[in-house]
Amino acid sequence: MGDYLIYTDPTKCVACHSCEVACKAKNHVPAGATLGKIVVMGPGMINGSPAMSSLFVPCFHCEDAWCMNACPVDAIRKSDENGLVYIIRDLCVGCKACILACPWHIPQWDPDAGKAMKCDMCMDRIEEGEEPACVAACPTNALQFGEPTRLSHQSREDYAFKLLKRNPRK
Amino acid sequence: MKKKIYTLCFMCSVRCPIAVVVEDDKIVSIEGNPHVPAMKGVCPKGAAAVGWLDDPQRVQAPMIRTGPRGSGQWKKVGWNEALDYTADRCKEIFAQYGAKSAVYCERVNLVTDLSKTFLKAIGSPNYFSHDTICKGSINTACRSLIGYTDGQITADWSNARQVILYGRNVFESVEVKAMNALLDAMGKGTKLTYIDPRVSITAAKAHNYMMIRPGTDLALNYALMHVIIKQHLYDVQYVDRWVEGLHRLSAFVDTYTPEWAEVETGIPAGEIIRLAKEASRAKPAVVFHYGYRGSHHPTEIYFRRSIMMLNALMGSIESPGGIVIKKGPKDAGLDAGIRKFSDQEFPPMEDARRFDGCGQDKFPIADAAHGVGAMFPSAVLNEDPYPIKVLFAFRFDPLYSNFDYQQSLKALQKLDLIVSCDINFGGTTSLADVILPESLFLERSDPLQMGAGLKPAVNRRIACIKPRYDTQPMWWILKQLAERLGVGEYFPYETIEDIWQYQLADMGIGIEAFEEKGFVSLSDKPIRWDRNDGIKFKTPSGKIEFTSSLLEDNGFPSFPPYEPLEVSDDRFRLMVGRCIAHTNVMTQNNPYLNELVPENRLWINAKRAAALGVNDGETVAVSSSAGEGRIRAFVTDMIHPEAVFMLHGFGHREPESRRSCGRGMADAEVQEAIMDNVGGSPALDHTLVSVSKL
């Protein structure tokens, strides 16, 4: 995801879909399309007990992006600054090659404009020091946004401090 | 230039504190107010509010109906014409039938003080709120035990160690702050037990889920009390100090053993005993939650009382991690709170008899502040106690909210005048004679809100952007109507600033104090009373009244024997509920929320469905003595065989609301007119329905 990650904590996610709605409202995404998508499994009965889990799937902002390589008019670019992959809307000719090329078909189709659109991780918000709209809207902190190293440190520290608190040194 | 504005949401009645970023009179983002702990994001309804702003299917201007009711034929008019029309019709009708022929119903909101002022000024006693249909019996149950309404207490989620929820689907019918507080507590080890005939999101998050037989929660609670009392698992010191009537309860639950409850509820006796013991080990940091909606069965008040009694036995009422009483300005050391317009002197009412007999002959102990809204259709149809001719339906849709759709429809058709105030075309609005459209909460400022709580605060809603269409705030609409009806003197304001100044006059707070955070906190620390000696219960005895003077003085028993629930081999108990995407019957046409959850389905147990030959996704007929509807089936093992379930809020027929019209089925179509005659709630989950393949 460029230099960033969006991490889903399934224990906190209640499948409310605020992330999707906030994304749609902010990016003017037409009905039926979703730039960032929350994929929810369940609730369902597993061994007699109800269970559920979820994972947020925005664009992965690949290092060697299939969509960008497939675009015949160079409308898809990768930011030198933060590695985010985005579409220059004015250049897009609506051929849909990016949608086909992406292994997860993540770019979306805007039928009104006749152009492709995709998650740019809210580059404009990031530039202003804000989190992407999906993460900012999440009411339970189930989505966390940051640099991979910071998230890794955070998760390990949370885990380790929990253990240490349980077994404090005398 | 971007600007961040702190205000209050109104996509539902929770009114979460939000931060709205605005640029060039456009909404850039809506997030939680960062100054309020546990209020980081917003629910999907909050996120979807902007979808309504420019929606061409909104009510865009005052309207007067030109065709038959429900035909979708309207004339767009100016405000003066709409208000003059409304007032002239009212004057005509009041001259013949008196002002009492007008009933005013609303979703309780920040202008409720002015709604009540309006009624007092015109001289009608007839008010009811959405709350009465939703939770009237919880209100009455709480008052019968502790003297406070359910609105005056809350759960201390953050500090609770055991939380027990009876269908209180906290993760789908959400208050963002409460949801986060509970999730955080669970992250630190709080245990959640969830009891529901249906697997909801909350069931999936719970540590312990019990698929109870529908309608038998009261039996479970009597058995829990049996175990807790017989095995001395209760907080002896607290109960000795605060509870009136333990011995009567003890004798009463004597025969309600866990083994007895197992037969009635389907929950193994061992599990009931285990739950009682687990809760007891955590006492007093235990929340048996009293519920959010409480309008399920005719015994609703006794079920809600049983929950609060369990809290009392745990010593949890007014204990950290338990149920806490909300504190107001006086508890925070102020001399006075917000000044109310409805406290002015009004002329005496000609006839104080209410349409619903609330607080009077028919429902002596239901809360007259909310009324008994379920009585509205029968009062109109039977002209009991007198003819009702006018309905003001302000931001509330009684047609789809009450039971028995056909009865409600007949009643609305019988009225001479329906005045509706709405954002979009809801069921009642679509039948109205005149629509006075309110501005969306993002477009309007409202009277201040007294936010009682452990840390009381005064909260403000302020307009973030200009109205997109020809709409107005309700405080303005009410004043205009009052002036035309000759009672404008009770609305001594011109602007919202005048209202704020009037409200704050006795508090020593200036309006500029709200700029920084959107609210003014009246206490830095949570205000808790000493649970050994300082709890101010507002019952006549000053204690928790298991033996209730409110009930018994009015001829109702405190401990009526349990009546086993009828078993039906061929029918199903219809349950209804909410999802996180929608608020009651109001939001189904919002473009984003409609996309998220466009219609409801009938949850039906896989084995029962197989016996009926019903396949997943097939349309089935659902019927009762009230009527019939059609809906697609969701065949699943996640619901008790005796129940079927559908989301409330669907089956709209308003032609103006094109996204939601004809999608799904309205539960009201088949809900029979069954009431809790003591507490005042309709029994919306009690109807037995037949399901058949088409």
Side-chain angles (χ1 to χ4, degrees):
Chain A
M1 295 196 194
D3 297 340
Y4 300 103
L5 270 179
I6 294 177
Y7 163 75
T8 316
D9 178 351
T11 63
K12 287 271 174 89
C13 177
V14 296
C16 77
H17 291 73
S18 283
C19 45
E20 279 186 11
V21 176
C23 168
K24 295 192 71 148
K26 188 251 171 192
N27 296 304
H28 309 286
V29 181
T34 45
L35 302 190
K37 182 177 172 65
I38 182 82
V39 179
V40 182
M41 188 173 66
M45 298 303 265
I46 295 181
N47 301 327
S49 293
M52 65 181 287
S53 197
S54 45
L55 181 67
F56 187 65
V57 187
C59 170
F60 299 132
H61 297 270
C62 306
E63 204 48 45
D64 191 9
W66 281 271
C67 60
M68 185 171 75
N69 295 338
C71 180
V73 293
D74 286 340
I76 302 185
R77 309 280 172 92
K78 189 176 179 68
S79 161
D80 291 337
E81 211 173 299
N82 50 31
L84 295 173
V85 180
Y86 59 99
I87 300 179
I88 299 173
R89 211 166 157 80
D90 287 346
L91 298 184
C92 175
V93 294
C95 73
K96 309 182 191 72
C98 54
I99 303 176
L100 288 171
C102 171
W104 308 275
H105 310 301
I106 280 173
Q108 298 286 296
W109 181 242
D110 179 349
D112 299 331
K115 289 174 188 289
M117 63 194 308
K118 71 179 283 299
C119 161
D120 65 357
M121 215 158 269
C122 293
M123 283 169 80
D124 51 345
R125 288 180 59 101
I126 293 174
E127 276 161 23
E128 290 178 11
E130 305 278 343
E131 296 176 324
C134 51
V135 177
C138 175
T140 62
N141 283 310
L143 295 186
Q144 284 162 36
F145 168 76
E147 292 149 21
T149 41
R150 191 181 65 77
L151 282 172
S152 167
H153 282 302
Q154 185 69 49
S155 305
R156 281 184 284 178
E157 282 168 15
D158 286 352
Y159 168 73
F161 280 128
K162 219 179 193 175
L163 273 186
L164 292 170
K165 269 184 203 159
R166 219 186 292 161
N167 306 298
R169 261 182 70 140
K170 300 278 169 352
Chain B
M1 245 284 281
K2 277 187 191 166
K3 194 181 170 205
K4 190 175 265 191
I5 301 170
Y6 301 111
T7 185
L8 299 173
C9 187
F10 194 52
M11 291 301 284
C12 80
S13 296
V14 175
R15 292 168 237 153
C16 288
I18 51 172
V20 180
V21 175
V22 175
E23 187 173 30
D24 300 330
D25 204 36
K26 287 203 175 75
I27 305 287
V28 175
S29 67
I30 302 178
E31 289 161 25
N33 183 338
H35 298 295
V36 179
M39 208 41 245
K40 182 192 153 265
V42 287
C43 82
K45 301 178 286 285
V50 288
W52 256 342
L53 271 182
D54 300 306
D55 184 2
Q57 293 181 34
R58 257 181 88 173
V59 186
Q60 299 178 18
M63 304 277 220
I64 292 177
R65 182 166 58 81
T66 54
R69 282 198 166 135
S71 63
Q73 294 169 44
W74 303 95
K75 179 173 73 165
K76 219 180 236 191
V77 296
W79 276 98
N80 275 329
E81 187 178 344
L83 291 161
D84 287 345
Y85 171 83
T86 307
D88 290 347
R89 294 284 312 273
C90 281
K91 278 190 238 171
E92 220 175 274
I93 296 165
F94 293 175
Q96 197 178 344
Y97 299 98
K100 66 174 187 283
S101 65
V103 173
Y104 189 115
C105 66
E106 71 177 350
R107 174 172 300 273
V108 169
N109 60 67
L110 302 185
V111 293
T112 291
D113 178 36
L114 293 168
S115 308
K116 295 195 170 181
T117 303
F118 179 75
L119 272 181
K120 285 181 175 176
I122 64 169
S124 170
N126 291 324
Y127 173 88
F128 74 90
S129 74
H130 160 84
D131 289 36
T132 150
I133 287 174
C134 180
K135 62 193 186 75
S137 295
I138 309 184
N139 174 321
T140 315
C142 288
R143 279 184 295 115
S144 78
L145 280 161
I146 58 173
Y148 292 94
T149 70
D150 57 314
Q152 293 169 320
I153 57 175
T154 186
D156 186 9
W157 302 104
S158 305
N159 298 302
R161 289 177 49 220
Q162 284 279 347
V163 174
I164 298 99
L165 305 173
Y166 303 80
R168 170 71 192 98
N169 189 3
V170 275
F171 298 131
E172 289 187 88
S173 185
V174 301
E175 305 164 277
V176 170
K177 279 191 283 181
M179 169 166 73
N180 268 326
L182 176 58
L183 277 171
D184 285 347
M186 287 167 70
K188 291 177 192 146
T190 298
K191 290 282 175 280
L192 175 62
T193 297
Y194 184 72
I195 301 151
D196 192 333
R198 180 184 73 107
V199 173
S200 63
I201 299 272
T202 308
K205 294 277 171 195
H207 302 94
N208 180 21
Y209 165 66
M210 296 177 172
M211 187 181 275
I212 193 169
R213 193 178 152 230
T216 64
D217 305 54
L218 181 56
L220 168 66
N221 278 0
Y222 284 162
L224 284 169
M225 290 174 185
H226 176 102
V227 177
I228 288 166
I229 295 174
K230 305 301 166 189
Q231 299 198 19
H232 296 280
L233 299 174
Y234 59 94
D235 185 329
V236 175
Q237 202 184 342
Y238 181 95
V239 169
D240 280 352
R241 172 67 184 87
W242 292 114
V243 170
E244 284 272 307
L246 178 74
H247 296 299
R248 273 187 69 188
L249 177 69
S250 177
F252 172 72
V253 297
D254 203 39
T255 55
Y256 299 126
T257 61
E259 293 72 25
W260 165 83
E262 177 174 328
V263 177
E264 183 68 6
T265 64
I267 297 173
E271 295 223 358
I272 298 174
I273 296 167
R274 189 169 60 104
L275 176 59
K277 287 184 174 167
E278 272 178 16
S280 175
R281 270 198 293 276
K283 70 178 181 294
V286 181
V287 170
F288 283 91
H289 199 270
Y290 42 89
Y292 202 45
R293 179 169 72 92
S295 51
H296 298 69
H297 301 284
T299 51
E300 196 74 19
I301 180 174
Y302 292 106
F303 168 52
R304 301 297 162 181
R305 270 173 60 81
S306 72
I307 300 177
M308 287 303 285
M309 287 184 201
L310 284 165
N311 285 307
L313 291 171
M314 294 295 105
S316 85
I317 304 176
E318 197 56 19
S319 296
I323 302 293
V324 288
I325 296 164
K326 292 181 184 172
K327 311 303 187 304
K330 289 194 180 154
D331 301 306
L334 274 76
D335 294 332
I338 278 182
R339 210 201 304 173
K340 288 183 171 179
F341 290 93
S342 58
D343 283 344
Q344 297 172 89
E345 286 261 339
F346 296 92
M349 255 171 225
E350 260 177 38
D351 189 343
R353 288 178 304 151
R354 291 175 54 112
F355 79 100
D356 52 6
C358 180
Q360 299 168 353
D361 52 340
K362 293 194 184 81
F363 292 89
I365 64 170
D367 189 351
H370 294 286
V372 179
M375 293 297 287
F376 175 71
S378 59
V380 173
L381 293 171
N382 303 327
E383 305 197 346
D384 173 19
Y386 42 68
I388 305 285
K389 296 289 173 187
V390 180
L391 177 70
F392 294 97
F394 280 19
R395 296 304 305 276
F396 176 60
D397 189 350
L399 178 61
Y400 287 111
S401 302
N402 210 344
F403 48 48
D404 199 343
Y405 175 88
Q406 290 301 333
Q407 187 198 32
S408 295
L409 185 63
K410 261 185 236 149
L412 291 175
Q413 295 284 21
K414 188 173 181 230
L415 294 169
D416 287 354
L417 179 66
I418 300 173
V419 185
S420 175
C421 178
D422 209 340
I423 298 285
N424 62 337
F425 289 89
T428 305
T429 300
S430 182
L431 300 174
D433 296 82
V434 54
I435 310 174
L436 308 172
E438 191 183 31
S439 304
L440 195 67
F441 68 92
L442 294 166
E443 303 167 320
R444 69 175 196 262
S445 299
D446 267 334
L448 300 167
Q449 177 199 38
M450 183 59 235
L454 278 179
K455 288 191 205 172
V458 182
N459 305 310
R460 179 172 75 167
R461 174 177 299 135
I462 188 164
C464 301
I465 51 169
K466 291 194 197 84
R468 289 291 185 263
Y469 296 114
D470 190 10
T471 59
Q472 290 284 354
M474 191 105 75
W475 52 265
W476 183 89
I477 298 171
L478 281 170
K479 179 183 167 73
Q480 297 296 317
L481 278 179
E483 278 178 352
R484 284 164 173 80
L485 291 169
V487 290
E489 71 209 77
Y490 299 103
F491 295 80
Y493 57 78
E494 294 299 328
T495 63
I496 191 66
E497 287 78 13
D498 297 340
I499 293 179
W500 291 339
Q501 203 171 8
Y502 182 99
Q503 289 185 294
L504 291 173
D506 307 326
M507 293 190 79
I509 299 171
I511 197 65
E512 65 289 344
F514 291 81
E515 287 303 316
E516 193 192 342
K517 300 175 183 172
F519 62 93
V520 174
S521 193
L522 305 183
S523 173
D524 300 336
K525 289 190 207 116
I527 305 172
R528 295 182 191 273
W529 290 331
D530 175 11
R531 69 187 287 272
N532 295 316
D533 225 26
I535 313 180
K536 297 168 196 163
F537 291 116
K538 289 209 298 195
T539 48
S541 62
K543 293 190 172 182
I544 303 171
E545 297 191 352
F546 285 7
T547 304
S548 163
S549 48
L550 184 71
L551 284 167
E552 299 194 358
D553 292 352
N554 286 283
F556 302 117
S558 297
F559 308 101
Y562 183 83
E563 287 173 34
L565 211 64
E566 178 191 346
V567 184
S568 174
D569 291 334
D570 58 341
R571 289 182 295 166
F572 299 82
R573 191 80 54 187
L574 173 66
M575 297 169 42
V576 298
R578 309 287 185 273
C579 66
I580 200 165
H582 289 294
T583 300
N584 303 119
V585 302
M586 296 162 53
T587 54
Q588 287 72 28
N589 202 53
N590 174 292
Y592 293 124
L593 300 177
N594 182 271
E595 186 184 351
L596 214 50
V597 182
E599 67 173 51
N600 57 357
R601 298 263 192 118
L602 187 78
W603 291 47
I604 182 168
N605 180 275
K607 283 187 189 131
R608 295 286 304 267
L612 292 169
V614 168
N615 297 312
D616 188 46
E618 251 175 21
T619 301
V620 293
V622 183
S623 62
S624 73
S625 73
E628 187 187 289
R630 292 188 177 186
I631 182 172
R632 286 202 288 160
F634 172 53
V635 175
T636 176
D637 56 352
M638 294 191 293
I639 187 163
H640 193 282
E642 287 183 41
V644 286
F645 168 89
M646 69 175 76
L647 286 172
H648 176 63
F650 292 86
H652 284 275
R653 293 174 175 179
E654 305 84 76
E656 300 90 343
S657 294
R658 294 193 293 281
R659 298 178 201 99
S660 57
C661 185
R663 301 298 301 270
M665 175 183 157
D667 46 7
E669 297 260 21
V670 288
Q671 284 165 332
E672 292 166 357
I674 312 168
M675 293 281 305
D676 166 3
N677 289 316
V678 182
S681 279
L684 301 175
D685 292 50
H686 202 69
T687 302
L688 286 169
V689 297
S690 300
V691 176
S692 55
K693 201 176 155 78
L694 289 177

Tab-separated table of all heavy atoms in Angstrom, chain B residues 14 24 44 106 226 265 285 338 346 359 445 579-580 618:
chain	number	residue	atom	x	y	z
B	14	VAL	N	-30.010	9.281	19.197
B	14	VAL	CA	-28.875	9.277	20.127
B	14	VAL	C	-28.194	10.648	20.156
B	14	VAL	O	-27.745	11.109	21.193
B	14	VAL	CB	-27.869	8.157	19.767
B	14	VAL	CG1	-26.640	8.228	20.641
B	14	VAL	CG2	-28.536	6.798	19.898
B	24	ASP	N	-16.357	26.250	1.800
B	24	ASP	CA	-17.208	26.880	0.780
B	24	ASP	C	-18.655	26.393	0.891
B	24	ASP	O	-19.271	26.013	-0.110
B	24	ASP	CB	-16.686	26.573	-0.638
B	24	ASP	CG	-15.273	27.082	-0.833
B	24	ASP	OD1	-14.939	28.098	-0.191
B	24	ASP	OD2	-14.522	26.442	-1.595
B	44	PRO	N	-22.698	4.402	10.276
B	44	PRO	CA	-22.940	4.635	8.839
B	44	PRO	C	-24.045	5.646	8.570
B	44	PRO	O	-24.037	6.301	7.526
B	44	PRO	CB	-23.310	3.238	8.325
B	44	PRO	CG	-23.662	2.438	9.519
B	44	PRO	CD	-22.869	2.995	10.648
B	106	GLU	N	-44.220	13.337	17.990
B	106	GLU	CA	-42.891	13.680	17.475
B	106	GLU	C	-41.857	12.671	17.953
B	106	GLU	O	-42.083	11.921	18.890
B	106	GLU	CB	-42.475	15.081	17.948
B	106	GLU	CG	-42.162	15.132	19.441
B	106	GLU	CD	-41.672	16.492	19.911
B	106	GLU	OE1	-41.388	17.364	19.089
B	106	GLU	OE2	-41.567	16.666	21.137
B	226	HIS	N	-34.202	-16.810	41.513
B	226	HIS	CA	-34.340	-17.978	42.388
B	226	HIS	C	-32.955	-18.450	42.852
B	226	HIS	O	-32.706	-18.591	44.044
B	226	HIS	CB	-35.079	-19.096	41.624
B	226	HIS	CG	-35.201	-20.379	42.381
B	226	HIS	ND1	-36.368	-20.769	43.015
B	226	HIS	CD2	-34.295	-21.365	42.630
B	226	HIS	CE1	-36.170	-21.933	43.620
B	226	HIS	NE2	-34.925	-22.318	43.393
B	265	THR	N	-37.811	-21.960	28.675
B	265	THR	CA	-36.911	-21.131	27.856
B	265	THR	C	-36.049	-21.930	26.890
B	265	THR	O	-35.526	-21.376	25.928
B	265	THR	CB	-35.927	-20.342	28.749
B	265	THR	OG1	-35.083	-21.282	29.442
B	265	THR	CG2	-36.654	-19.492	29.776
B	285	ALA	N	-19.929	-4.864	39.869
B	285	ALA	CA	-19.610	-4.353	38.526
B	285	ALA	C	-20.321	-5.201	37.461
B	285	ALA	O	-19.688	-5.825	36.608
B	285	ALA	CB	-18.099	-4.340	38.311
B	338	ILE	N	-31.116	24.479	32.561
B	338	ILE	CA	-31.623	25.202	31.394
B	338	ILE	C	-33.062	25.652	31.647
B	338	ILE	O	-33.874	24.886	32.149
B	338	ILE	CB	-31.527	24.268	30.167
B	338	ILE	CG1	-30.093	24.314	29.617
B	338	ILE	CG2	-32.539	24.631	29.112
B	338	ILE	CD1	-29.887	23.490	28.394
B	346	PHE	N	-49.463	29.144	31.577
B	346	PHE	CA	-50.387	29.023	30.445
B	346	PHE	C	-51.826	29.100	30.950
B	346	PHE	O	-52.092	28.776	32.110
B	346	PHE	CB	-50.170	27.687	29.726
B	346	PHE	CG	-48.813	27.563	29.098
B	346	PHE	CD1	-47.752	26.999	29.801
B	346	PHE	CD2	-48.591	28.019	27.809
B	346	PHE	CE1	-46.486	26.899	29.223
B	346	PHE	CE2	-47.327	27.914	27.235
B	346	PHE	CZ	-46.281	27.354	27.932
B	359	GLY	N	-51.811	8.488	32.362
B	359	GLY	CA	-51.782	9.197	33.635
B	359	GLY	C	-53.190	9.432	34.165
B	359	GLY	O	-53.380	10.127	35.157
B	445	SER	N	-29.546	25.278	13.375
B	445	SER	CA	-29.197	25.362	14.791
B	445	SER	C	-30.455	25.052	15.579
B	445	SER	O	-31.561	25.304	15.110
B	445	SER	CB	-28.709	26.763	15.134
B	445	SER	OG	-27.553	27.073	14.395
B	579	CYS	N	-31.126	-2.808	12.247
B	579	CYS	CA	-29.757	-3.008	11.793
B	579	CYS	C	-29.050	-1.663	11.960
B	579	CYS	O	-29.694	-0.652	12.227
B	579	CYS	CB	-29.720	-3.462	10.337
B	579	CYS	SG	-30.308	-2.210	9.193
B	580	ILE	N	-27.750	-1.666	11.771
B	580	ILE	CA	-27.010	-0.434	12.039
B	580	ILE	C	-27.216	0.619	10.949
B	580	ILE	O	-26.975	1.796	11.149
B	580	ILE	CB	-25.509	-0.742	12.242
B	580	ILE	CG1	-24.822	0.409	12.982
B	580	ILE	CG2	-24.835	-1.056	10.932
B	580	ILE	CD1	-23.465	0.062	13.529
B	618	GLU	N	-36.590	-17.176	-1.603
B	618	GLU	CA	-37.935	-17.221	-2.176
B	618	GLU	C	-38.870	-16.222	-1.503
B	618	GLU	O	-38.765	-15.995	-0.302
B	618	GLU	CB	-38.533	-18.609	-1.903
B	618	GLU	CG	-38.655	-19.482	-3.121
B	618	GLU	CD	-39.133	-20.877	-2.736
B	618	GLU	OE1	-39.726	-21.078	-1.651
B	618	GLU	OE2	-38.886	-21.762	-3.536
